[in-house]
Amino acid sequence: SCLCGSAPCLLCGCCPSAKNSTISRLLFTFFLFLGTLVSIIMIIPGVEKELHKLPGFCEGSGSVLGVQTSVDCSSFLGHKAVYRMGFAMAAFFCLFAVLMVCVRSSKDPRAALQNGFWFFKFLVLVGITVGAFYIPDGTFTSVWFYFGVVGSFLFILIQLVLLIDFAHSWSQRWLRNADEGSAKGWFAALCTVTFIFYAASIAAVALLYVYYTKPEGCTEGKAFISINLILCLIVSVVSILPKIQEAQPHSGLLQASLITLYTIYVTWAALANVPSQHCNPTLLVRNSTGSAAAAEPLTTWWDAPSIVGLVIFILCSLFISLRSSDHPQVNKLMLTEESGAGAGAGPGGAEEGALRRAYDNEQDGVSYNYTFFHLCLLLAALYIMMTLTNWYRPDESLQVLSSPWTAVWVRICSSWAGLLLYLWTLVAPLLLPDRDFS
């Protein structure tokens, strides 16, 4: 029953009571993390060399190009493995997104597929993964790259929504604690955190100007850094305007400082993909096109922006799985309403006399949209695929990895979209006075 039954059967007796919906989301997120771990292992240099032993995994490159001779694809074996693992996870979550369309409550027979049969789900994921490694190269890598770019852009927008919501919730909670307890202590903590965020942002901007721009040339990098710095300054000023404060008393510099820091990170990640060694000092380390790499192909490995992106990905995935927002508007946008129809069920709703530690809280209505949740995980799988490969793309010969301008523009545009989204949360109460934004 632990392998084929519902999510409550998977909880040990020592675990606290939990909602069935929460456990199911955590287990699906665990599948995503498991696929991410496998991708990380495959891109490790030592393991990447062992991928040569997989039958047809490297030799297939030559036949696709119409060349019968052996083609050396050792410089991007880990890249290929991560792409196929990303495809497998995306296909897995796409399958469940389709299967779970219009599921309204746990009484729907399809809800059992969402909350149970975990052993068989694992077998399906393994089967899709094995099949993905037999996909011939051809145009798969180049086409799937653009799928990853679009999916990553959408997931970055989801990250921005969660970050903005987290910033507003954080500020409101601390201001509420200041009203109820020691006001000076909470206001001091608020000011300290805000100062740290802004100081880190200013230091990061200075480092970006030093390492990713030159006195001559690098016009794009200078423009990206300057534009984002001006936009961050604008949203910071707008957040403390008297009319904004009157419409949203909890709005302040804490939210603006966190958004500013994230925007600078996205700018850094974009500049790390600029395909110019003159303007991007880290390009040679991660590319096998330079003269230093001519003698021996270098392995693609993830850099500092990718590591930070991996941490943000883990936090956002857990955020999606564990909690709903304090704001009804965000719950409506993310289609997660833990306080909705199914929230009335509790531990007492379980079978009488049963020693279950999880209870079905979705008999009257689902507490989150199953399809949207799987779509979020699908986009997360594409995002982690692009993050682990540094948004690099093999060229037509399938032997050289290069960083395209596409990755730069997608990340820069996502930073602009995030700033506009945060600016909208500030001015919306003034532009739409008839709506409730409390």
Side-chain angles (χ1 to χ4, degrees):
S1 62
C2 288
L3 296 179
C4 307
S6 60
C9 297
L10 295 173
L11 287 181
C12 301
C14 59
C15 295
S17 297
K19 298 174 181 178
N20 194 31
S21 60
T22 303
I23 300 302
S24 296
R25 281 182 287 178
L26 282 175
L27 289 174
F28 274 111
T29 305
F30 171 76
F31 281 2
L32 177 64
F33 288 168
L34 185 63
T36 302
L37 179 61
V38 173
S39 299
I40 293 174
I41 293 175
M42 285 183 173
I43 207 172
I44 293 176
V47 178
E48 186 181 26
K49 295 179 181 179
E50 297 298 321
L51 294 176
H52 254 300
K53 300 178 180 179
L54 290 178
F57 189 55
C58 188
E59 289 80 357
S61 303
S63 60
V64 170
L65 294 173
V67 181
Q68 300 300 326
T69 57
S70 176
V71 176
D72 182 16
C73 60
S74 58
S75 61
F76 68 101
L77 277 178
H79 186 281
K80 289 177 58 176
V82 172
Y83 263 45
R84 280 152 177 76
M85 194 67 214
F87 174 83
M89 290 191 294
F92 176 77
F93 292 120
C94 181
L95 173 64
F96 277 91
V98 174
L99 291 176
M100 297 297 127
V101 172
C102 295
V103 174
R104 303 301 182 187
S105 70
S106 59
K107 297 177 182 178
D108 191 308
R110 290 176 295 167
L113 295 176
Q114 173 76 6
N115 300 318
F117 301 98
W118 296 102
F119 178 69
F120 295 105
K121 290 176 185 176
F122 179 75
L123 291 182
V124 170
L125 179 59
V126 172
I128 296 176
T129 302
V130 173
F133 276 81
Y134 286 93
I135 298 176
D137 284 320
T139 58
F140 170 78
T141 303
S142 57
V143 172
W144 192 240
F145 169 82
Y146 289 103
F147 274 93
V149 167
V150 175
S152 299
F153 177 79
L154 295 177
F155 186 74
I156 290 175
L157 294 184
I158 293 177
Q159 284 184 341
L160 292 167
V161 172
L162 297 177
L163 183 67
I164 294 172
D165 170 52
F166 173 74
H168 281 297
S169 299
W170 187 359
S171 178
Q172 289 183 13
R173 188 171 293 109
W174 279 21
L175 291 176
R176 191 182 307 120
N177 293 337
D179 295 335
E180 297 174 355
S182 175
K184 292 184 179 180
W186 286 107
F187 280 124
L190 197 66
C191 294
T192 301
V193 173
T194 302
F195 174 78
I196 292 175
F197 285 164
Y198 273 123
S201 301
I202 295 173
V205 168
L207 292 174
L208 291 181
Y209 273 118
V210 171
Y211 289 101
Y212 290 94
T213 63
K214 300 294 180 181
E216 297 180 359
C218 303
T219 307
E220 297 87 355
K222 295 175 183 176
F224 291 152
I225 300 173
S226 302
I227 291 174
N228 281 358
L229 180 60
I230 294 173
L231 292 177
C232 290
L233 180 62
I234 291 175
V235 298
S236 298
V237 172
V238 171
S239 66
I240 57 175
L241 291 177
K243 290 186 176 181
I244 299 295
Q245 290 289 315
E246 182 180 354
Q248 294 194 71
H250 294 289
S251 174
L253 291 177
L254 176 63
Q255 299 95 312
S257 64
L258 184 58
I259 300 300
T260 297
L261 185 60
Y262 183 80
T263 301
I264 299 303
Y265 155 71
V266 176
T267 307
W268 173 36
L271 294 177
N273 276 105
V274 172
S276 171
Q277 185 179 347
H278 176 67
C279 303
N280 182 5
T282 61
L283 185 65
L284 182 62
V285 177
R286 297 174 284 113
N287 201 340
S288 60
T289 60
S291 58
E296 181 179 356
L298 293 179
T299 304
T300 305
W301 188 234
W302 26 318
D303 52 3
S306 298
I307 295 175
V308 177
L310 180 62
V311 174
I312 296 176
F313 152 77
I314 293 175
L315 295 177
C316 287
S317 299
L318 291 176
F319 195 88
I320 293 173
S321 301
L322 287 176
R323 70 179 291 272
S324 294
S325 171
D326 296 332
H327 301 85
Q329 290 80 12
V330 177
N331 279 333
K332 184 176 180 180
L333 178 63
M334 300 300 295
L335 302 181
T336 55
E337 299 250 5
E338 287 288 2
S339 59
E351 299 178 5
E352 294 184 3
L355 296 177
R356 296 189 176 223
R357 292 291 180 174
Y359 55 91
D360 185 3
N361 63 316
E362 298 180 309
Q363 293 181 356
D364 298 326
V366 295
S367 60
Y368 65 101
N369 186 293
Y370 290 172
T371 296
F372 186 79
F373 172 71
H374 288 296
L375 288 178
C376 287
L377 295 187
L378 186 157
L379 299 178
L382 295 177
Y383 172 80
I384 199 62
M385 178 188 75
M386 300 304 294
T387 299
L388 293 180
T389 57
N390 297 316
W391 296 64
Y392 275 34
R393 181 182 61 189
D395 65 353
E396 295 180 357
S397 65
L398 299 179
Q399 294 186 14
V400 177
L401 291 174
S402 60
S403 179
W405 275 103
T406 305
V408 180
W409 280 106
V410 166
R411 287 177 163 178
I412 288 295
C413 291
S414 66
S415 68
W416 295 341
L419 290 171
L420 292 176
L421 184 61
Y422 174 64
L423 184 63
W424 170 251
T425 64
L426 296 177
V427 302
L430 297 178
L431 300 179
L432 304 172
D434 296 333
R435 292 186 58 182
D436 180 20
F437 289 94
S438 59

